[in-house]
Amino acid sequence: MNKKMMTITAVFLIVIVAGLTGWYIAFCKLGVGPAFPFLVSAKTRGDDTMPAEIAEQPLMALARTREEAQEVAELYEIELYSFEEGVAVYATDRDPYDVIVEGDKKGYPPLSVNYVRTAEELEELPEFDSRNEE
């Protein structure tokens, strides 16, 4: 009886460990299925559901003034291309995703990738209902 109980316990533990390992791989590496809150999922570059072309000036950010936009450019060591109505557009020769990650690690003001969208792509976006906004 004792040997049978140990065998059942070992098989049960192996099944549990294999299940948790599969769950971890599926969520963290493949990005599918539910996960425990403490597991870190893989990060993707951009929106996988609607691929878009990156603009010639690949980075942008919100800024209150042109001087603030220039300060952000100096922090990131990128070039301020334009500033209009609170939106700063930046040019860089580096990978825009690498620039964003680097700045995030250093606690710099956030940048975003400047995507080119066509009218057809914008028509596919869900409609915004201002009545739901509080």
Side-chain angles (χ1 to χ4, degrees):
M1 181 77 172
N2 198 11
K3 186 175 181 180
K4 184 177 180 182
M5 195 63 146
M6 285 181 56
T7 304
I8 292 171
T9 303
V11 169
F12 179 75
L13 288 175
I14 289 171
V15 168
I16 296 295
V17 169
L20 290 174
T21 302
W23 192 357
Y24 174 81
I25 291 170
F27 185 77
C28 294
K29 303 301 180 193
L30 303 177
V32 294
F36 296 117
F38 55 83
L39 292 179
V40 178
S41 64
K43 300 210 181 213
T44 60
R45 289 183 168 201
D47 184 0
D48 292 338
T49 60
M50 192 183 302
E53 180 183 344
I54 296 177
E56 192 173 328
Q57 287 70 39
L59 296 167
M60 61 187 218
L62 298 177
R64 287 183 218 114
T65 64
R66 185 174 193 79
E67 291 74 26
E68 184 179 319
Q70 185 60 45
E71 288 174 14
V72 170
E74 291 169 6
L75 282 173
Y76 280 93
E77 297 176 1
I78 56 179
E79 178 188 343
L80 176 62
Y81 180 78
S82 68
F83 177 78
E84 189 175 321
E85 296 187 26
V87 178
V89 177
Y90 300 97
T92 183
D93 293 334
R94 298 181 291 169
D95 182 330
Y97 298 103
D98 291 342
V99 174
I100 291 170
V101 169
E102 198 176 293
D104 188 45
K105 287 180 183 176
K106 295 179 180 179
Y108 294 165
L111 292 177
S112 299
V113 176
N114 187 12
Y115 292 108
V116 175
R117 298 280 189 188
T118 64
E120 292 82 27
E121 289 174 327
L122 294 176
E123 288 174 2
E124 295 173 12
L125 293 174
E127 295 212 16
F128 175 73
D129 187 359
S130 61
R131 293 174 293 180
N132 293 336
E133 195 173 282
E134 295 182 32

